[in-house]
Amino acid sequence: MLQRLIVILTATILFNSSLALAQSQKPKPPDQFPPNPLEYTKPDPLLPRSPKDKKPLTLEERTKLEPALDELNQEAAAKLQAGDEVTAFEIWNRELRLRRFLGSLQEVQALSRVGYIAWNQNDRQEIMYITQRLQAIQKQTQSKKKSTDIDLELWRSLGEAYQNVRSPKQAIEAYNQVLLAVRQQKDTAAIVETLKTLGELHLSWFDYRQAAPIYEELLSLATSQGESVNEVTYLQKLAEIYAQTEQPQQSINVLNKLAQIYTSQNNLIKIPELKLAMASDYESLGKTDPKLLVEAFNNYQEAYTTAWQLQEFVRAGEALQKIIGLYRSQGQIDEALEASQILVDTQTQAANLYGVMQAYDQIGQLYLERKEYPQALTAFQKGLELAQQLKHQEAYFTEQIKKLPIQ
């Protein structure tokens, strides 16, 4: 018994000791990424002195270093083309480490180039290294700059580099610095180009609310300078923005301006689409102010009339459908029926048999609401004839006819 107790105690002690040892030797979770290779400070044969020596290179030293780095870039590109991605980025990282000795601008431009390649190769680790280095350069640049002395070329290069590694927030920060500088210089052309870049950046990341004031300013500048082509472009952008952000009143203002321009240019083909969009906006506003539903109807009517005159029968049919929907929402069944009969003719002109079939279904449903069953039967029978031609929805129309309370 004593011997058994000793064995148990010994086993317990050994188990606890092993557990304690295992816990003490438990491996630490590895870092997500190893240290940034762009920050290595080991000596390099291409450098005339230690990397820790911050003394600027002489002209002669720069003249020797630049072509050597260009050769590294070509060597890395060849490795990548041969399928050796790991070695390629090792060479590029060496090039990038050495580029900083040629100044911030050259380094940023090189980081931008390699960052673009890394993004295309889906190399998240390399993108992180490059982004970290870009942020370090940006921080260093911000600490040195004076409000009246901004390195525009460097900030533009930073913005482009951030775009290449898909860091929109940092890119916008960089271009905002550029915008601040060109505003101080009152350089209108540079202001426009920078605003366009910022606007495109916001739109590319679906940040419509930030894009809106930028395109409003661009529109104002284009209008003041009489640039009608750019004015139309910016109005189209704003129409998209206000549609996406569900701001119907702002959308109406923009669409009205577009309609005026197209009308003055006799470009009527654009009018039905614009009028449909405006009518939809008025219909949205009409939910809180029913008086505006009249404006919705008027714009749908203009869309239909213009489309019919242009023989754009598909668009005309779209406008009629909206008109019918508006009539039905207001309980105006007679008017909805009249518009539906016109819709049959419109869809016939468009050679849209499916649209004609749907129009007859709509007419049948409207007559059902009024309990005018013989008329509903006639509409559903015409719909069934078309359904049989199209071999589509035959069972549906057959069922509608069966359900009618007619002997």
Side-chain angles (χ1 to χ4, degrees):
M1 183 71 179
L2 179 61
Q3 185 178 4
R4 185 182 177 189
L5 182 59
I6 291 171
V7 169
I8 293 171
L9 287 172
T10 303
T12 304
I13 292 168
L14 286 172
F15 174 77
N16 289 334
S17 300
S18 299
L19 181 61
L21 181 62
Q23 289 175 338
S24 66
Q25 294 180 345
K26 185 178 179 181
K28 295 180 180 179
D31 293 332
Q32 187 176 3
F33 294 114
N36 192 335
L38 303 184
E39 301 297 340
Y40 293 170
T41 56
K42 60 185 180 183
D44 191 289
L46 292 177
L47 278 181
R49 60 177 75 95
S50 168
K52 295 181 180 180
D53 187 346
K54 302 301 182 182
K55 184 179 178 182
L57 299 181
T58 65
L59 180 58
E60 183 181 356
E61 289 169 339
R62 290 175 64 92
T63 305
K64 288 181 180 179
L65 183 58
E66 285 185 13
L69 297 185
D70 292 339
E71 287 180 13
L72 285 179
N73 176 37
Q74 293 171 7
E75 182 184 349
K79 289 289 185 183
L80 183 63
Q81 190 171 7
D84 190 352
E85 182 179 335
V86 173
T87 304
F89 279 109
E90 285 176 356
I91 296 170
W92 268 316
N93 286 337
R94 181 188 176 197
E95 179 211 346
L96 294 176
R97 284 196 298 271
L98 298 174
R99 283 284 178 187
R100 73 170 65 184
F101 294 95
L102 298 176
S104 295
L105 180 59
Q106 277 215 35
E107 184 185 2
V108 169
Q109 290 170 342
L111 288 164
S112 180
R113 165 172 46 82
V114 179
Y116 181 77
I117 297 168
W119 177 263
N120 287 332
Q121 295 298 125
N122 196 28
D123 191 330
R124 291 178 58 246
Q125 182 169 292
E126 185 67 23
I127 291 167
M128 189 202 71
Y129 295 150
I130 290 173
T131 304
Q132 285 179 346
R133 181 59 194 153
L134 288 170
Q135 290 171 328
I137 295 170
Q138 179 178 346
K139 186 176 180 181
Q140 183 181 23
T141 304
Q142 285 174 323
S143 66
K144 289 181 179 180
K145 76 176 181 68
K146 299 176 182 177
S147 60
T148 56
D149 183 23
I150 294 177
D151 190 336
L152 278 175
E153 192 173 3
L154 177 57
W155 279 106
R156 284 192 180 105
S157 295
L158 276 167
E160 183 178 348
Y162 280 130
Q163 284 182 276
N164 283 342
V165 294
R166 305 304 192 272
S167 293
K169 182 179 178 182
Q170 287 85 358
I172 288 166
E173 289 176 4
Y175 284 117
N176 276 333
Q177 291 293 331
V178 174
L179 184 60
L180 177 65
V182 295
R183 283 194 196 282
Q184 290 174 344
Q185 296 172 0
K186 298 182 180 179
D187 185 341
T188 303
I191 291 171
V192 169
E193 286 306 309
T194 308
L195 285 170
K196 284 166 65 176
T197 300
L198 283 166
E200 289 164 6
L201 260 174
H202 285 302
L203 286 183
S204 68
W205 292 91
F206 309 107
D207 192 349
Y208 296 105
R209 293 195 179 275
Q210 292 296 325
I214 291 171
Y215 282 105
E216 287 285 5
E217 183 176 354
L218 283 167
L219 174 62
S220 177
L221 289 168
T223 303
S224 65
Q225 294 169 7
E227 297 174 348
S228 58
V229 174
N230 287 333
E231 190 176 3
V232 169
T233 299
Y234 302 141
L235 284 168
Q236 290 171 337
K237 293 284 189 184
L238 284 166
E240 175 193 354
I241 289 166
Y242 291 133
Q244 291 290 339
T245 53
E246 298 180 353
Q247 298 183 73
Q249 187 57 63
Q250 289 87 336
S251 177
I252 289 168
N253 296 340
V254 167
L255 293 169
N256 253 323
K257 290 177 183 177
L258 272 174
Q260 290 170 9
I261 292 172
Y262 288 139
T263 302
S264 68
Q265 296 173 346
N266 202 29
N267 187 8
L268 299 182
I269 196 71
K270 300 282 189 179
I271 298 302
E273 182 181 359
L274 289 177
K275 291 295 180 179
L276 279 170
M278 289 169 63
S280 179
D281 287 329
Y282 275 119
E283 201 168 349
S284 295
L285 292 171
K287 293 174 182 177
T288 53
D289 186 356
K291 293 179 183 178
L292 292 175
L293 291 177
V294 176
E295 292 296 331
F297 175 82
N298 290 340
N299 278 278
Y300 283 136
Q301 183 71 38
E302 285 185 54
Y304 165 73
T305 303
T306 307
W308 182 272
Q309 291 171 348
L310 295 169
Q311 297 187 343
E312 292 285 332
F313 299 116
V314 173
R315 189 71 76 184
E318 186 181 345
L320 276 170
Q321 285 284 17
K322 294 292 187 179
I323 290 171
I324 293 164
L326 201 54
Y327 277 141
R328 294 188 73 172
S329 71
Q330 301 303 302
Q332 296 176 265
I333 305 301
D334 287 345
E335 290 82 355
L337 273 167
E338 185 179 348
S340 296
Q341 295 290 352
I342 298 171
L343 179 60
V344 170
D345 296 334
T346 303
Q347 299 290 27
T348 302
Q349 288 286 341
N352 181 4
L353 291 183
Y354 180 82
V356 177
M357 182 186 73
Q358 293 295 97
Y360 278 126
D361 179 37
Q362 191 164 244
I363 291 169
Q365 298 298 335
L366 287 167
Y367 277 123
L368 277 178
E369 287 186 38
R370 291 171 48 160
K371 296 183 170 53
E372 296 180 7
Y373 303 119
Q375 293 89 333
L377 174 61
T378 301
F380 287 135
Q381 285 174 334
K382 290 181 178 179
L384 178 59
E385 289 173 12
L386 288 166
Q388 289 168 340
Q389 290 182 44
L390 295 168
K391 300 189 185 307
H392 182 66
Q393 289 191 326
E394 295 171 69
Y396 167 79
F397 281 100
T398 300
E399 183 65 22
Q400 293 300 310
I401 291 169
K402 286 181 179 179
K403 288 194 303 184
L404 289 173
I406 299 175
Q407 298 297 323

